[in-house]
Structure formats: structure tokens, C-alpha cells
Amino acid sequence: MEWLLGNLAFAYSFHKTQPAIIVDELVRIWLDIVTPGRGAGESNWFFKGIRSIEQQAERTSRELDIRSDLRRWDEEFPWIHHELIIRYVVGGLASTTVMFLYNALRGGNKERRR
């Protein structure tokens, strides 16, 4: 029964996953980590505006680099598309979670067999 529930969870999550949303969120998180924040010495509104424009330009440039790298990956390895990788990871997580919950709610195999 555990095997069947795990496979059903994998298949359902594999087909219902929207990889574009996940990729967009991962890119946003990565850009938040990599792009530096505001520096010291921005007491003047003019310099704050210039720094804001610089940050947006750097952020946009890095996002374009990431997306072009993903596009290049998809061209080099068409059999393992980045969206397919995301679907497999989400399906694996769903399957593992369902099997863990099933075993936890059932009380474990050792207690039932005694």
C-alpha cells in the first residue's frame, strides 16, 4: 500500500507542478542573495536614486544571465530539461512525504508485525 500511495503522489505532483513559477521564484531568491544591498554613504536623495538604478541594472543583467544559462542547458541537454528536473524533484519530495506520513500514521512496520 505504501508503494502505491508513493507512486500516486509522485504522478499527481509531477503532472500538477508548474515549473515556470518555481523557476521564477528560485531566480528571485537567488538574485536577492547575490545582488548587494544599499551601501553606506547614501544620505543624499540623488545618490540614493543613482544607486537604486545601478542595483536594478545589475539585478536585470544577472537575471538575464541566469535565464540564458538555463536556455543553453536546455539546448545542450534536451533529454533532461530544467523543467523536467524540477518536476522530478517535486514528485520525489511528494512521494517521500506521503510514504513518511503513511508509516507515521500507521505506527511503523515493527509494531504491526509482532
Side-chain angles (χ1 to χ4, degrees):
M1 185 65 162
E2 175 185 356
W3 178 83
L4 178 64
L5 290 175
N7 283 332
L8 288 174
F10 181 89
Y12 179 79
S13 62
F14 185 88
H15 290 290
K16 288 293 184 178
T17 300
Q18 296 177 348
I21 294 172
I22 295 172
V23 168
D24 290 343
E25 191 64 24
L26 289 174
V27 167
R28 186 190 65 77
I29 291 169
W30 179 251
L31 289 173
D32 286 344
I33 293 170
V34 173
T35 305
R38 294 180 179 262
E42 294 181 355
S43 59
N44 189 336
W45 64 270
F46 181 72
F47 291 117
K48 285 182 183 178
I50 289 176
R51 181 66 182 148
S52 176
I53 292 170
E54 289 174 350
Q55 284 177 336
Q56 278 302 109
E58 183 177 354
R59 186 177 178 95
T60 302
S61 172
R62 287 189 182 191
E63 182 176 358
L64 290 175
D65 290 343
I66 291 170
R67 294 193 185 275
S68 68
D69 288 343
L70 284 173
R71 201 172 309 112
R72 188 170 39 254
W73 169 272
D74 293 340
E75 290 171 358
E76 287 183 34
F77 307 104
W79 61 90
I80 189 80
H81 198 272
H82 74 276
E83 292 181 354
L84 187 61
I85 293 171
I86 290 174
R87 287 181 187 266
Y88 279 129
V89 168
V90 169
L93 288 173
S95 175
T96 303
T97 303
V98 165
M99 289 190 295
F100 174 76
L101 288 174
Y102 177 77
N103 284 331
L105 293 175
R106 198 175 112 195
N109 290 337
K110 294 179 182 177
E111 293 177 11
R112 295 274 181 174
R113 292 185 181 173
R114 287 185 188 181

Coordinates of all heavy atoms in Angstrom, one line a residue, residues 1-9 95 99 102:
M1 N 0.8 -1.2 0.0 CA 0.0 0.0 0.0 C 0.9 1.3 0.0 O 0.6 2.2 -0.7 CB -0.9 0.0 1.2 CG -1.9 1.1 1.3 SD -3.0 0.9 -0.1 CE -4.3 2.0 0.4
E2 N 2.0 1.2 0.8 CA 2.9 2.3 0.8 C 3.4 2.7 -0.6 O 3.5 3.8 -1.0 CB 4.0 2.0 1.8 CG 5.1 3.1 1.9 CD 6.2 2.6 2.7 OE1 6.2 1.6 3.4 OE2 7.2 3.4 2.8
W3 N 3.8 1.6 -1.3 CA 4.4 1.8 -2.6 C 3.4 2.4 -3.6 O 3.7 3.3 -4.3 CB 4.8 0.4 -3.2 CG 5.3 0.4 -4.5 CD1 6.6 0.7 -4.9 CD2 4.6 0.2 -5.8 NE1 6.7 0.7 -6.3 CE2 5.5 0.3 -6.8 CE3 3.3 -0.2 -6.0 CZ2 5.1 0.2 -8.1 CZ3 2.9 -0.3 -7.4 CH2 3.8 -0.2 -8.4
L4 N 2.1 2.0 -3.5 CA 1.1 2.6 -4.3 C 0.8 4.0 -4.0 O 0.7 4.9 -4.9 CB -0.3 1.8 -4.2 CG -1.4 2.3 -5.0 CD1 -1.2 2.1 -6.5 CD2 -2.7 1.5 -4.6
L5 N 0.7 4.4 -2.7 CA 0.5 5.8 -2.4 C 1.7 6.7 -2.8 O 1.5 7.8 -3.2 CB 0.3 5.9 -0.8 CG -1.0 5.3 -0.3 CD1 -1.0 5.4 1.2 CD2 -2.2 6.1 -0.9
G6 N 2.9 6.2 -2.6 CA 4.1 6.9 -3.1 C 4.1 7.2 -4.6 O 4.4 8.3 -5.0
N7 N 3.7 6.2 -5.3 CA 3.6 6.3 -6.8 C 2.5 7.3 -7.2 O 2.7 8.1 -8.1 CB 3.5 5.0 -7.5 CG 4.8 4.2 -7.6 OD1 5.9 4.8 -7.5 ND2 4.7 2.9 -7.6
L8 N 1.4 7.2 -6.6 CA 0.3 8.1 -6.9 C 0.6 9.5 -6.5 O 0.3 10.5 -7.3 CB -1.0 7.7 -6.1 CG -1.7 6.4 -6.6 CD1 -2.8 6.0 -5.7 CD2 -2.2 6.6 -8.0
A9 N 1.3 9.7 -5.4 CA 1.7 11.1 -5.0 C 2.7 11.6 -6.0 O 2.7 12.8 -6.4 CB 2.3 11.1 -3.6
S95 N 6.3 12.1 -3.0 CA 6.3 10.6 -2.7 C 6.9 10.3 -1.4 O 6.3 9.5 -0.6 CB 7.1 9.9 -3.9 OG 7.2 8.6 -3.6
M99 N 4.9 8.7 1.8 CA 5.3 7.4 2.5 C 5.7 7.6 3.9 O 5.4 6.8 4.8 CB 6.5 6.8 1.7 CG 6.0 6.3 0.3 SD 7.3 5.3 -0.6 CE 8.5 6.5 -0.8
Y102 N 2.4 8.1 5.8 CA 1.7 6.8 5.9 C 2.3 5.9 7.0 O 1.6 5.3 7.8 CB 1.7 6.1 4.5 CG 1.1 4.7 4.5 CD1 -0.3 4.6 4.5 CD2 1.9 3.6 4.6 CE1 -0.8 3.3 4.5 CE2 1.3 2.3 4.6 CZ 0.0 2.2 4.6 OH -0.6 0.9 4.6

